[in-house]
Amino acid sequence: TVKNENSTFESWIASKSIAVCIPCLNEESTIGAVVEDFQRIFPLASIRVYDNNSSDATADVAKKSGAELRAVSRIGKGNVIQRIFEDSHEDILILIDGDATYSVPSMADLLKALWNSPRSMVVGSRNPTTSGQVFRPLHNFGNWLISGLASLSFGHSLKDVLSGYRLFPRTLYKSLSLNSQHFDIEIEITLQVLAMKVPIIEIETPYYARPSGSE
């Protein structure tokens, strides 16, 4: 039964066009590894790096790693993600930050969740792998506060509304109308998805501290 299920899942993946879109700002020390990890795991996926006016060698490293590079001049992560949604037409859109803090191999679990619930937004809920400081100051409090408000407003319990690791079917990401220009973009996406009564599935994934030299 497990073998048959895996075969069906693999057939489903093979039938889908997949885009991996990576918003980036000054990630020259990490972006190459993120791109290469996806190339190994999803060699048929389109991998696009969206550079938001980096002052370092992010763009050069991304191109040398084999990603398609696109420039976004309007500063702000929200502006970058709006551009990503406008550009993309694939069946499945994967969003992931370029700082190498997310587990690329966990994408298999996120994809299986979408396979089982094809209308959903799937979120990689971050589980820090070290006991030291991984999240930015006030991050845990902000996540707790916003998650609590979402639960009160929509009756949907969430753990990680600020995660930058997300999976969307085309029918969903093309239905979103976003206005946020900066780092509140994940909150806006979550609230719009909840308002649309689309399921949100959180899959716990490892979350790593930024590599040495990455800021």
Side-chain angles (χ1 to χ4, degrees), residues 89-106:
H89 300 281
E90 287 81 3
D91 299 322
I92 298 171
L93 175 62
I94 297 168
L95 274 184
I96 189 169
D97 293 341
D99 56 9
T101 56
Y102 293 95
S103 167
V104 173
S106 295

Side-chain angles (χ1 to χ4, degrees), residues 80-156:
V80 177
I81 291 179
Q82 288 184 52
R83 168 74 181 279
I84 288 172
F85 286 0
E86 290 169 3
D87 283 357
S88 301
H89 300 281
E90 287 81 3
D91 299 322
I92 298 171
L93 175 62
I94 297 168
L95 274 184
I96 189 169
D97 293 341
D99 56 9
T101 56
Y102 293 95
S103 167
V104 173
S106 295
M107 182 48 58
D109 293 331
L110 273 68
L111 282 166
K112 280 191 174 180
L114 186 64
W115 174 51
N116 287 316
S117 182
R119 291 182 57 251
S120 302
M121 177 174 71
V122 182
V123 178
S125 178
R126 295 166 291 177
N127 180 25
T129 58
T130 64
S131 58
Q133 182 176 333
V134 175
F135 292 119
R136 292 185 176 92
L138 296 180
H139 188 106
N140 285 329
F141 174 75
N143 230 346
W144 170 83
L145 177 62
I146 299 162
S147 297
L149 291 173
S151 179
L152 286 172
S153 300
F154 296 97
H156 194 306

Side-chain angles (χ1 to χ4, degrees), residues 6-18 42 44 91-92 111 115:
N6 287 338
S7 177
T8 304
F9 171 65
E10 289 168 4
S11 297
W12 178 79
I13 288 293
S15 72
K16 301 296 183 183
S17 55
I18 300 175
F42 299 111
L44 298 180
D91 299 322
I92 298 171
L111 282 166
W115 174 51

Side-chain angles (χ1 to χ4, degrees), residues 32-210:
V34 175
V35 171
E36 289 163 9
D37 282 348
F38 272 108
Q39 288 173 331
R40 281 193 297 271
I41 296 174
F42 299 111
L44 298 180
S46 299
I47 302 176
R48 299 194 285 268
V49 171
Y50 285 76
D51 182 53
N52 198 204
N53 293 318
S54 292
S55 58
D56 63 4
T58 293
D60 291 337
V61 174
K63 285 192 290 187
K64 288 178 182 177
S65 299
E68 178 185 349
L69 181 69
R70 299 191 181 183
V72 181
S73 59
R74 295 177 63 197
I75 290 294
K77 188 177 183 182
N79 290 322
V80 177
I81 291 179
Q82 288 184 52
R83 168 74 181 279
I84 288 172
F85 286 0
E86 290 169 3
D87 283 357
S88 301
H89 300 281
E90 287 81 3
D91 299 322
I92 298 171
L93 175 62
I94 297 168
L95 274 184
I96 189 169
D97 293 341
D99 56 9
T101 56
Y102 293 95
S103 167
V104 173
S106 295
M107 182 48 58
D109 293 331
L110 273 68
L111 282 166
K112 280 191 174 180
L114 186 64
W115 174 51
N116 287 316
S117 182
R119 291 182 57 251
S120 302
M121 177 174 71
V122 182
V123 178
S125 178
R126 295 166 291 177
N127 180 25
T129 58
T130 64
S131 58
Q133 182 176 333
V134 175
F135 292 119
R136 292 185 176 92
L138 296 180
H139 188 106
N140 285 329
F141 174 75
N143 230 346
W144 170 83
L145 177 62
I146 299 162
S147 297
L149 291 173
S151 179
L152 286 172
S153 300
F154 296 97
H156 194 306
S157 179
L158 297 171
K159 289 183 179 179
D160 193 2
V161 298
L162 302 178
S163 174
Y165 198 6
R166 294 171 186 246
L167 203 71
F168 304 84
R170 181 172 54 200
T171 52
L172 178 55
Y173 71 79
K174 285 300 188 184
S175 299
L176 298 173
S177 180
L178 302 173
N179 296 297
S180 298
Q181 297 182 10
H182 300 288
F183 279 97
D184 53 345
I185 187 69
E186 284 94 359
I187 300 170
E188 184 182 24
I189 290 172
T190 300
L191 293 177
Q192 284 199 23
V193 171
L194 287 170
M196 294 163 64
K197 298 184 178 179
V198 170
I200 298 176
I201 301 173
E202 292 185 302
I203 303 295
E204 190 170 282
T205 62
Y207 187 65
Y208 308 104
R210 277 180 171 269

